[in-house]
Structures are given as structure tokens and as C-alpha cells.
Amino acid sequence: MSADVRRITAEELRATGQGGIPEDEIDLTVELAGIQLDNPIASASGCFASGAEMDRFYDVTELGAIVVKSITREPRGGLPTPRMSETPAGMLNAIGLQNPGVAYWTANDLPWLRERGASVIASIAGRTVEDYRHVARALREADPAGTIVGLEVNLSCPNVEDRGLVFACSPTDSAEVIAAVAEEAEVPVLGKLTSDVTDIVAVAGAVVDAGAQGLTLINTLLGMAIDPETGKPELYNTYGGLSGPAIRPVAVRNVHQVHRALPEVPILGCGGARSVTDVIQFLRAGASAVSVGTSTFVDPFVGQRLIAELRTWLAERGIGSVRELIGATGSWTD
Amino acid sequence: MTTLRAGTVWGRPEADTPVQATCEVLARRRNGPYWTLAFAAREIAERARPGQFVQIAVRGQSTLLRRPFSIANVSRQGPGGGTVEVVFDAHGPGTEWLAGLGAHDVIDVVGPLGTSFPLPQRKVNALLVGGGYGTAPLFYLAEELTKKGLRVDMIVGAATGERILGAIEAKRLSASVTFTTDDGSYGTQGRVTDALDEVVGSTRTGVVYACGPNPMLNALSARCVELGLPIQVAVEERMACGIGVCFTCVLPIRGRDERVRMQRSCIDGPVFNGAKIAWDVSRYDLGASPPVDQLTSERVASGSDDDVSGTP
């Protein structure tokens, strides 16, 4: 064991700023839809498993929240490979929600998260409204200790009861799912929306009216890549979700658009965040917290690093609380 | 992009965890049609075991993801207190960028990652079978087996003689080495599997280790099962994260209960019991696959299928 393996510290990252305030006086706490978070950096669903894999690198409970990989009613093996294709500044994936199912998850992953004292936002997915309801109920019943502080409803799933149309593309289908989950849940419910719609504000409004306390914006963008030689799609599933820095401007736009239309609705921003300035953009656009997804694949320590860098960024500018930034955008016409 | 400084290490002190480190390149050299890259990485060298891999950040034009490379050699002495070597074929923007590096350049490396080849608990003769640059991790394995006092034999194959990796090293590290090439330009014409029976018979092989393209590992595993030989293979799968969280690099693995589960080659592998890979559940041929829903992703307890470990 070498003595110089060490954790990243805020001191290491501290630049020589002037007019700042001490880093230990910076308040990083935020409230997201009634959930109190120590800081606004969370993992993104499907990019962090349930935390144990990442805990080999650093103490994952340092994150404001761990948003776990989507949990379904039944175990899912997922899609055949190839499941991934790299794109400029991003990647396409079609995993097919591989997960061990809610019974296995509550018996195996949840106890570990509870022992570690993590704040967990459980992502849930399904094929029918009843699937979502079942998972929400099973999670509530398995978690009397309250390790799960919120539910994130992954609405980007085909609805088998509506011709396979993705729930998130229909305001009414989305609202039905949210209403069912909200009935079962004792914790705040976040609806995770897709940008692949004509009017995301309409879907957002329907989801909030149905009982969601907040929104996660956004899921991946549907994309496709083709092997130029064989003509075959790069992904087994033909289409896949585009993620990574390539989609960040789209995500920031969606957060901004929904925040302007529905300023009271708390938002967990998600899509391509990798640097501290990306995080600041999401906060200024109106997000109360930011999920970091694909960047974890490249930088295993990105979540831990962003917390430290955010503290430094605020300290250097004399901003005492990260909450001051939420929704703080300027305008060219001011 | 900022310039990296070598020598920064992030991670936990426990030896069974991977680290992220900025590493100075010590040498980049031609190795036939391949490249060998050696870099100073004390923590990775200390923690690495044969079969494991590293993820290297690359800066090809607008590339995002790290590239996985199996560890070909480790030295726990030398510059910086330890060095690691990887071998690669420059065939894309990431590996082409790597091929352009030179001594004193700095790379960002995560590792060691994945499972390692389980070493035999008893004194048996080990046969190491490599295809193309997939032979790379077998050199490190051969050294470890030799240190344990075990006999090592090798079969090294490739499409052409030029693409045989490390012929001299293979001869140095093993009691016998058999070369096969598809075109017969070096060694025997044919596939590694064509040479298997004879080598197994003449060297009294007790355990087989292999790395190379999937069709080779498939054929080799099938024959080893017929011969009653334990076989451990290191697979090469397309990966995004390499650290167990993206579920891109899955392979169908048959459990003791005969159920097939999609397991991640980056964290449940890359070393698998070759007899347990459900090669028949082809990833390209849906017709031959069970419906996806019949597969389950339930994880099996770590090591529960590790019943090879060189116990013939």
C-alpha cells in the first residue's frame, strides 16, 4: 500500500482567488422537492448502478444523493449486444433496463445503501401503470428506515397498453403513471422527462398536476448510428439514447424552459454535466440539483471532484450559498 | 485541454480497489504490427494481477470514452516504483492517438480493473492459448505461473505470421510453444484449436488459459469441455465505463442452476470460466437466443462459479 494514494481535497483544487470567502463557510445544501441534500451533486440513473461499484473509488455517500439504476417489477436481462456506440462527445446506448428486479434489489442493494447511510433516489420503470405502482409499493414496504428519500419515475419506457408508445411522450400516459406512484409513495416523486417531445412544458405540467413534487430533466435523446460498411445499425436495438457532453445544451435549454414556465417546480438537472461550470449552468437555468451520468464512465471521481470544485468556485466569487445561483440567469434585454 | 502532470493518484488505500493515476509514458515501441506502451504507475503495478485491464483516457478527435487494454506486463520496480505495459493495435481514433505518444508524455489511467485468472491451487501443467494481440495478458500470466513453479506451455496463433504477438517472449516464458497461422506463413497452418489436442497430449496439460477473439475462445472452450479440461478465458468486449456501471459489455453466462445471466465483462469478468459462457446465446442471432425476458440479470455471489481454479 503506497502512502501517497490520497483523496482529492478542496485545498488541492483551490486556485488563488481574491475577494473570496473561506471554503468552509460555503453552504452547499439544497432542497429538492422537499428532499434535503448536503450538496447538489447526484449520480444519474443508469450510470452508477446502485453505488457499490463506485464505492471502490470513493465514499459515494459524499454525493448529495445516489440516483440508482432503474428498478423494474421483474428481473430484466436487457437487450443483446452491441449495446453502445461512441459518438462525438457522447455515446448511444440501448441496455434494455437490465436489472435484477425489485425483490432482489430490496433484499441485496438496499441493505448496503442503508448501512452506508446513503441518501437514495430510487429510479423506477415499468411496462404498465400497474408495474410502476407495484415497484413503488414494494420499495415503500421494504424501506421503513427511510433510506430512499425520493422516487424518480423513468417515464422513457414503452407503454405496452398504449401501442408501445413511450409514456414520457404522452402527457396523459405520464400523468397516469405519476398518479399511481404518488398514491403509493411516502417520499417525494420526481418525473423524469424526455426532450423528444413537441412541448416539454405540457408534459411537465401534466406530471406535476398528477402529483409529482419535482422533475428530472432530461433523459437521453433518441439517436442512431449506422456502420457505413455493412449498413447495419451500430446498436442491436437500432435506436439508442444519446448521452454525454453532446446533449448538455439541450438539457440546459429544457431546464430553463420548464423553469420559466413553472418556476415553483423543483428540477433535478441531468444531461452531459462534466465540469463545475456545467453544474453552474444547470443551477442558473433553474435546477436545484444536478445528476452526473455519462461523465462517471470517463472520470470515476467526477462526482466527488465536482463537489469540491463547486465549493471552490463559490468561495472564489464570494457566494455564500449555492442556492443563490438557482434560477439566477441574466438576459440580453435587462 | 490542460496538460496533465504525472504522479497524481486518486483512490482508496485498499489493494483490491482500482485507482485513477496520471502516468508518465516510459516507452512506446513497435511490436510487429502492434504497439507496446510502457508507463510508470506504481499503485496500478502493485495491485494488478494477470488478466486484469486498465482504462486509458484518449484524446482522439471528439472521443469521449476511455479505451480498455489488458495488462501485458507489470514490473514492481523501475521508474516511479512500478511500471505497466499494454499492447494495442492502432485501428481507431483513440488507439491512433495513443500510438502517437512518446516517452515523457502523460496519460490518465484507471486500473487495475476486472477479474484475474485464478491460479491453480495444485501443481498442474498450464497451457496458455493466445490469438492475435489477445496473447498480451498471457505473458504476465506465464510469469506468475512460472514463479509458482508450474510448467507453462503456449499456443500462439494469428491470421498471419506478422500478427503473431511476442514470439520471442513466448519462447522465453514457456517450456514449449506452438505457433499457428491461418495462412501458414509462420508455424503450422490452421487455428489454435487444431493444435490443441496434440499439445494437450504431449504436455499433459491440466488447465487451459486463453485470450483472443470470441470465436476462438468459443471453439477452444468447447473442445476443452470435451477433453474434460478446465478453461479460463479473458474476453474482449466493447465497453463504455469499464468499472461496472454502464452494463454495455455483458456476456451471457450460465450459472450452476443452468440459468443464463447477462454478466459484465468489466467487473464480473473479463476472466470467465470458458465452459460457463453461453456461446449459443449468440448476441447477433436473435433466432438462436431465448427471448430476452428469459434471461435474468440476478447477480451470482462472487466466485460461486469459479470452480475451475486449476483443479483438473
Side-chain angles (χ1 to χ4, degrees):
Chain A
M1 236 71 42
S2 42
D4 61 348
V5 174
R6 59 186 198 276
R7 281 198 36 210
I8 198 162
T9 64
E11 282 71 24
E12 267 183 283
L13 294 159
R14 191 199 306 267
T16 49
Q18 277 148 26
I21 51 179
E23 286 189 12
D24 51 16
E25 287 173 24
I26 300 297
D27 182 5
L28 288 184
T29 61
V30 292
E31 186 194 318
L32 172 70
I35 309 166
Q36 304 298 326
L37 304 178
D38 289 344
N39 64 70
I41 306 298
S43 60
S45 181
C47 302
F48 214 76
S50 287
E53 289 85 348
M54 297 310 301
D55 202 63
R56 297 178 301 155
F57 292 97
Y58 70 96
D59 178 358
V60 295
T61 64
E62 289 176 31
L63 294 175
I66 297 173
V67 185
V68 300
K69 185 167 169 60
S70 289
I71 305 159
T72 57
R73 181 175 189 159
E74 70 293 342
R76 289 205 196 170
L79 289 158
T81 54
R83 293 178 168 189
M84 187 276 299
S85 176
E86 192 179 30
T87 63
M91 56 174 269
L92 288 164
N93 85 82
I95 307 297
L97 292 177
Q98 177 173 346
N99 82 98
V102 69
Y104 184 96
W105 190 86
T106 53
N108 293 275
D109 293 15
L110 183 59
W112 182 84
L113 290 159
R114 181 164 51 231
E115 275 165 35
R116 292 304 312 277
S119 291
V120 176
I121 296 177
S123 171
I124 65 178
R127 292 192 172 89
T128 64
V129 172
E130 284 314 303
D131 278 357
Y132 284 93
R133 183 196 300 277
H134 176 96
V135 177
R137 184 189 302 141
L139 291 175
R140 186 196 70 218
E141 289 171 355
D143 186 37
T147 299
I148 299 169
V149 295
L151 295 182
E152 182 180 87
V153 186
N154 178 355
L155 292 162
S156 294
C157 307
N159 178 0
V160 298
E161 293 167 329
D162 189 6
R163 298 159 293 139
L165 186 73
V166 171
F167 287 101
C169 291
S170 153
T172 50
D173 287 4
S174 295
E176 258 188 82
V177 171
I178 295 292
V181 171
E183 255 175 48
E184 298 293 340
E186 285 172 352
V187 292
V189 174
L190 308 172
K192 185 169 185 177
L193 306 187
T194 174
S195 179
D196 288 335
V197 289
T198 313
D199 182 4
I200 194 168
V201 173
V203 186
V207 161
V208 170
D209 289 345
Q213 282 82 2
L215 301 166
T216 299
L217 304 172
I218 55 175
N219 211 318
T220 55
L221 306 178
L222 203 59
M224 180 180 186
I226 302 172
D227 184 314
E229 298 297 333
T230 65
K232 281 187 188 174
E234 292 276 1
L235 299 177
Y236 180 87
N237 192 50
T238 306
Y239 305 138
L242 180 65
S243 65
I247 73 164
R248 192 199 63 228
V250 179
V252 171
R253 183 266 296 178
N254 277 281
V255 170
H256 187 255
Q257 220 168 15
V258 172
H259 181 67
R260 277 216 306 197
L262 306 166
E264 302 307 315
V265 177
I267 296 171
L268 175 58
C270 182
R274 185 166 179 190
S275 68
V276 67
T277 51
D278 298 343
V279 170
I280 305 286
Q281 286 196 55
F282 273 104
L283 297 171
R284 285 193 179 278
S288 299
V290 181
S291 272
V292 181
T294 300
S295 297
T296 300
F297 301 166
V298 193
D299 298 327
F301 293 89
V302 65
Q304 187 187 54
R305 179 171 56 79
L306 286 175
I307 296 166
E309 289 182 353
L310 182 60
R311 194 183 297 281
T312 304
W313 195 93
L314 294 166
E316 283 173 3
R317 286 157 184 80
I319 301 169
S321 165
V322 69
R323 295 188 297 278
E324 292 174 40
L325 288 177
I326 298 169
T329 42
S331 158
W332 290 105
T333 55
D334 282 348
Chain B
M1 289 273 185
T2 49
T3 307
L4 291 173
R5 256 181 346 130
T8 311
V9 183
W10 295 274
R12 291 187 181 273
E14 289 83 7
D16 61 348
T17 60
V19 299
Q20 180 177 356
T22 54
C23 306
E24 183 179 346
V25 172
L26 301 171
R28 178 222 56 179
R29 54 179 185 271
R30 266 280 175 203
N31 191 343
Y34 313 111
W35 294 97
T36 294
L37 194 72
F39 52 91
R42 183 172 76 183
E43 290 75 13
I44 297 174
E46 279 172 355
R47 298 174 185 206
R49 287 165 289 138
Q52 291 189 295
F53 67 98
V54 293
Q55 283 265 80
I56 304 180
V58 295
R59 293 184 183 176
Q61 194 180 6
S62 73
T63 54
L64 173 71
L65 302 169
R66 287 172 185 269
R67 300 294 191 261
F69 302 95
S70 55
I71 296 171
N73 243 316
V74 155
S75 162
R76 298 193 173 90
Q77 289 102 40
T83 61
V84 174
E85 274 186 25
V86 298
V87 176
F88 61 93
D89 200 359
H91 54 59
T95 43
E96 277 161 17
W97 178 82
L98 271 182
L101 293 178
H104 310 305
D105 283 335
V106 178
I107 52 174
D108 172 350
V109 186
V110 173
L113 296 165
T115 53
S116 58
F117 288 110
L119 301 183
Q121 301 303 309
R122 289 198 271 155
K123 204 155 172 91
V124 292
N125 296 341
L127 174 61
L128 279 49
V129 186
Y133 64 90
T135 309
L138 301 181
F139 296 127
Y140 181 23
L141 175 64
E143 290 202 348
E144 295 293 307
L145 292 168
T146 308
K147 270 187 213 163
K148 281 178 71 96
L150 303 181
R151 178 189 163 112
V152 171
D153 297 280
M154 292 186 84
I155 303 174
V156 179
T160 64
E162 196 206 16
R163 298 191 74 77
I164 293 274
L165 176 70
I168 295 166
E169 215 176 349
K171 286 176 188 166
R172 182 176 66 80
L173 287 167
S174 54
S176 81
V177 53
T178 306
F179 296 103
T180 66
T181 50
D182 295 352
D183 66 356
S185 59
Y186 191 78
T188 326
Q189 180 166 13
R191 303 291 173 99
V192 290
T193 34
D194 298 332
L196 184 73
D197 284 36
E198 199 186 313
V199 175
V200 164
S202 65
T203 65
R204 297 199 298 143
T205 295
V207 58
V208 177
Y209 297 97
C211 183
N214 278 343
M216 178 196 113
L217 299 181
N218 181 1
L220 205 59
S221 299
R223 186 60 190 143
C224 284
V225 168
E226 286 167 7
L227 295 171
L229 272 175
I231 175 165
Q232 293 281 332
V233 303
V235 300
E236 294 167 356
E237 278 293 326
R238 198 192 292 198
M239 287 180 186
C241 74
I243 54 178
V245 295
C246 78
F247 288 77
T248 285
C249 61
V250 295
L251 268 184
I253 307 293
R254 210 176 293 283
R256 280 201 172 148
D257 55 4
E258 289 303 307
R259 287 167 76 193
V260 172
R261 298 173 176 84
M262 297 301 261
Q263 296 208 16
R264 298 158 290 181
S265 44
C266 68
I267 191 164
D268 305 312
V271 177
F272 290 106
N273 177 347
K276 298 290 186 180
I277 300 178
W279 301 103
D280 52 319
V281 183
S282 164
R283 53 206 185 126
Y284 300 119
D285 176 14
L286 187 64
S289 308
V292 170
D293 284 351
Q294 287 178 20
L295 302 173
T296 165
S297 66
E298 252 175 72
R299 277 149 284 180
V300 283
S302 167
S304 67
D305 278 299
D306 244 6
D307 52 2
V308 168
S309 304
T311 45

